[in-house]
Amino acid sequence: MKIYYSPSHEYIKVDGNIGYIGISDYAQHALGNVVYVDMPEVGDDIEAGEDFGAIESVKAASDLIAPVSGAVVEINEHLIDNPRLVNENAMENWIIKIEMTDPSQLEELLDEEAYKELCEKEKH
Amino acid sequence: MNRELYGKLIFELSKPGRRGFHIADNHLPQTNALPSELLRQEPLDLPEVDEPTVVRHYTNMSTNNFGVDTGFYPLGSCTMKYNPKINEEMAAHPAFTHLHPDTPASAVQGALKMYHDLQLALSEIGGMAEFTLNPYAGAHGELTGLMVIRAYHDSRNDSARVKVIVPDSAHGTNPASAAVAGLEIVEVKSRPDGTVDVDDLRPLLDETVAAVMMTNPNTLGIFEKNIPEIARLVHEAGALLYYDGANLNPMLGVARPGDMGFDVMHINLHKTFSTPHGGGGPGAGPVGVRAGLEQFLPSPKVVKNADGTYSLVCDDSSLGHVSAHLGNFGVEMRALAYILSLGKENLSKVGPLATLGANYIKESLKDLYLLPIEGVCKHEFVFDGLIDKSTGVTTLDIAKRLLDYGYHAPTIYFPLLFHESLMIEPTETESVDTLDDFIAVMRKIAEEAASDPEMVKTAPHNTPISRPDDTEAALHPVVKYE
Amino acid sequence: MSHRYLPHTQADIDRMLERCGVSRLEELYSDVPEQLLFKGEYDVPSEMSERQVREFFDTLGAQNSRLVCFAGNGYYDHDTPAAVSYIVSRSEFLTAYTPYQPEISQGTLHYIFEYQTMMCRLTGMDVSNASMYDGTTATAEAMMMAVAHARKRNRVLVSSTMRKAVLDVVATYARYHGVTVDLIPEKDGVTDREALAAMLDDKNVAGVIVAQRNRYGIIEDYTGYADLCKAAKALFIMNCIASDLAVLKTPAEWGADVAVGDAQSLGIPLSFGGPYLGFMCCRNALIRKLPGRIVGQTVDNDGRRVFVLTLQAREQHIRREKATSNICSNQGLMALFVTVYLSLTGAEGLREINRQGQNGAHYLAEKLQATGKVKLTYPDKPFLNEFCITTETAASEIITRAMERGILAGVALDDHRMTVAVTELQTKEDMDCLTEIVNAL
């Protein structure tokens, strides 16, 4: 699956029209121990650039911004009881699965390399 | 403070059949109960305890708490000054505690005069035309002040002003209050010393800006020298300048926000005016405005009539009600008692003495703790942790180690401008002896950080509990006893 | 000469100045532009001794009238056990700040946890925050919580039977927060359920707020409301008077999502409007949307049960402009107040206090009606310890007459309607006296 990133540190793994959205490893590291993931409901529409939920650690909280538009087809229910899975493996533990309505929006996102560069910059 | 944990919950002391209070029979006929569908189904489960048990329980509990009366509380930006006891006595005065808030004005003239007198005194001290005492707390005052600003712009049909500019060093409450008031936040970058960069501010000031919010001195204890210029620019742009009164204490007797060009301000009575913090409330957040904005203050207002009597009025152009009545009246009484106790002779000493104490600590520790902003501070200042970072001892560790020595910790990790912020505010009610003791302990901790860093990193060792597991608390919230 | 709150002698000041490298206090303000310096003295009175301060407040106090209180309208004249005031005045509680250092703040955190537990038990809800300023602002917070929860809907319906003070504050917050508040009409003194059902049809409602007891003292029947709200995906919010909940069907039992209200009725002195206490409770599912502080249980490094501020990521100091509320504090000490009060009264004591108020109110209502000068505005509606009367003479006239006899007869709702409340503190003689005054109109 091809992976794209947003400047606000969400990733989307793409499988045809389906996308798996989560937060990057860099983002989980910056947040620290995740204690809660606020997720939308299945069936909700999400819009590129708007928040679809939030993720909290003990001392920080961050909105989850949709990298592309679509409809939520599944949420990662494991995160309800065990939000720390995001810390354990952010790339495997996606947060929502969506059906994209406009896959062309992917072109606006960053690829692996461009994202790495961004993270390097933010570190300094 | 008792360093043994008293950990029992009142529910664990309950025994069926005990009670701690009873009332005399009023010998009236029993009425029919309400229809059963309106009555509670689940029996109410409250503790059953006798009075001695209750008193002992809460007394023991209290001994695990640290307060201003226990020891020095150098918590930056919180102005933890001594809370005079006469204030408490006055707030408990039965001629006031029995007053129902809906009593007609003719029967509460003394209470209305109390409100009016305090309002006048705060106006004088703030350099403002009028104050409302209705907001219940500092954050509530901030919200009210922003509503005043919106009501003002609305009255001029200038409602495109939806932005509030705050320095990036501002308290988190500023942006939150703006959002609640329906305004958008724009951050202006501060210079390294936390003061506002006028050149960065200028281009942000346009016809969409409702207000600029500042505290002066700022969160680093630095006076904004450019405030006259900032005020001029803000007013030229048609916006208003808001004074966050969190840091008013060092200005007492020195300069008034109204004279600096601020249009609207709030005061935390529990900071500058010595009312107790009560473990987080009740506070009070009076809001003052310059001439020309009085009509927008919240309803009701207390006005003095020509014949010397007082009445309550609701102004049509008012922003509306932000409280049920006249605010936290008992807190207001304490503040007036404080102002009267100090009087004009001593109120003006408060600011300089608070500032002296802060500078004294700063100068006494800056060889060991990293002082990012050189020069004279006002009521508070910030260290960026220890100078010697090689030990790995952080600001959090220093804060926790201070608890072992019987001090409250300074404010830590705020402002966000530095990684290891340690913000110290001594207030004017601490003697030089107290400050000397504190300085000695801070120096000792710096020594310990070098000689035994592990011990400092695992502090506190001498408090009722050791470090709690915050992650577990947030991961699996248990917020009541079951 | 130094002042009793200012410990600095001239010698101290000199020594401190020397350390700071300046010779005069004024030099510490050399960065303040000259034209901003305040010169001269504040125009406030000269310093007073404690005795003078006492005399000042005694003089003011003498200009207030001590009245037997039949006024209610959300705030009730109850007895306060001596032990409550005693505990609350302990300076370890009184002079502490927010419990940011849990290692030396277990006292505060501990009683807030007890408070939260008690409020959950009173309301039947799953979660309580550490308290709010008062019931009016708590209701406004609930309105904003509903809008934040609903994300895109920003219309909230509030019953016309809500007390005016609550309506006023909610209206102010709504106006500036960009929330549309529409009033649900009333019918025979209670919320009009059919009207509500029709209003919910628009599908754009984020929350519905009703009052139990309502502004007339009536206990309303909210059967079916929770279902109506649920179907419309609106939060069902109830504003209550805390002490009533010892006997009334709880917000949880009515199916409410959020319960808010005033807790002054739990023995807090009237004090001309404050400090009081607002409570705010919700269902588990809404915990992360609940504004204000929350105390949670955890363990320390040594495995002991301890308490901390938790779920702080929701709060203003972290979320800044994304926070759903700007509240920083709670009413700390007042939460302690009601916790000690409820510990002393227990459930049975609270029921007894309710029973006495209820007996008194029904006795007084009957007596007043028998005069023929006033009648119950809604004679068929159930009430606890507060009722609404319609008067022939202006309500303000009755209140003025009664004040001449040392009685605060009630609160005028308009020209010819007033509410009258009774607690355990008014005697049969007081009620007979009020009846006599009305009879003599």
Side-chain angles (χ1 to χ4, degrees), chain A residues 36 38 56 59-61 63, chain C residues 151 288-289 313 318-319 322:
Chain A
Y36 179 67
D38 181 20
E56 287 181 17
K59 298 270 148 100
D63 282 333
Chain C
R151 283 166 192 256
R288 309 250 168 193
K289 296 280 193 294
I318 289 172
R319 291 291 267 164
K322 294 275 189 179

Side-chain angles (χ1 to χ4, degrees), chain A residues 40-46 70-75 97:
Chain A
E41 286 173 29
V42 171
D44 283 1
D45 289 325
I46 65 170
V72 180
V73 293
E74 197 180 332
I75 61 171
K97 177 174 163 186

Side-chain angles (χ1 to χ4, degrees), chain B residues 90 93 95-96, chain C residues 51 53-63:
Chain B
M90 293 306 97
H93 200 303
F96 296 86
Chain C
R51 190 191 162 101
V53 171
R54 266 190 210 107
E55 281 167 2
F56 179 89
F57 282 96
D58 284 344
T59 307
L60 286 186
Q63 294 162 45

Side-chain angles (χ1 to χ4, degrees), chain B residues 8 10 12 24 40 42 58 62 65 89 93 99 107 124 250 253-254 279-280 321 345 355 364 400 469 478, chain C residues 19 29 38 42-43 46 54 58 65 90 96 101 108 110 114 172 245 253 272 297-298 305 326 330 356:
Chain B
K8 286 179 197 147
I10 190 78
E12 295 162 345
R40 87 177 271 150
E42 193 193 17
Y58 290 101
S62 79
N65 239 21
E89 193 181 307
H93 200 303
L99 297 180
E124 169 68 9
V254 177
H321 291 73
E345 297 81 0
T355 292
S364 307
K400 296 298 181 194
D469 185 345
V478 176
Chain C
R19 175 88 47 98
Y29 291 92
F38 179 70
Y42 291 128
D43 182 14
S46 277
R54 266 190 210 107
D58 284 344
S65 309
R90 283 192 68 89
Q101 296 292 339
T108 300
H110 193 155
E114 291 186 350
T172 303
L245 299 175
E253 287 167 346
F272 204 46
Q297 180 183 312
T298 186
R305 175 181 70 188
N326 74 327
N330 56 350
Q356 282 209 8

Side-chain angles (χ1 to χ4, degrees), chain A residues 33-123:
Chain A
N33 283 346
V34 173
V35 293
Y36 179 67
V37 187
D38 181 20
M39 293 181 278
E41 286 173 29
V42 171
D44 283 1
D45 289 325
I46 65 170
E47 228 166 290
E50 292 195 7
D51 62 288
F52 65 84
I55 186 159
E56 287 181 17
S57 67
V58 178
K59 298 270 148 100
S62 169
D63 282 333
L64 294 166
I65 312 290
V68 298
S69 304
V72 180
V73 293
E74 197 180 332
I75 61 171
N76 186 349
E77 290 185 358
H78 299 298
L79 299 182
I80 297 170
D81 287 331
N82 195 2
R84 284 209 218 185
L85 290 172
V86 174
N87 295 116
E88 282 165 23
N89 190 336
M91 299 310 288
E92 282 307 308
N93 292 293
W94 49 268
I95 296 168
I96 55 171
K97 177 174 163 186
I98 65 162
E99 190 168 331
M100 291 183 282
T101 45
D102 182 5
S104 74
Q105 290 168 332
L106 292 170
E107 291 160 25
E108 307 286 317
L109 299 172
L110 309 171
D111 63 15
E112 190 93 47
E113 200 157 309
Y115 180 68
K116 254 188 198 159
E117 249 172 65
L118 176 88
C119 293
E120 276 307 310
K121 253 193 233 159
E122 284 198 7
K123 273 182 201 162

Side-chain angles (χ1 to χ4, degrees), chain B residues 33-45:
Chain B
L34 294 166
S36 65
E37 66 270 20
L38 297 178
L39 295 178
R40 87 177 271 150
Q41 310 297 311
E42 193 193 17
L44 176 59
D45 181 12

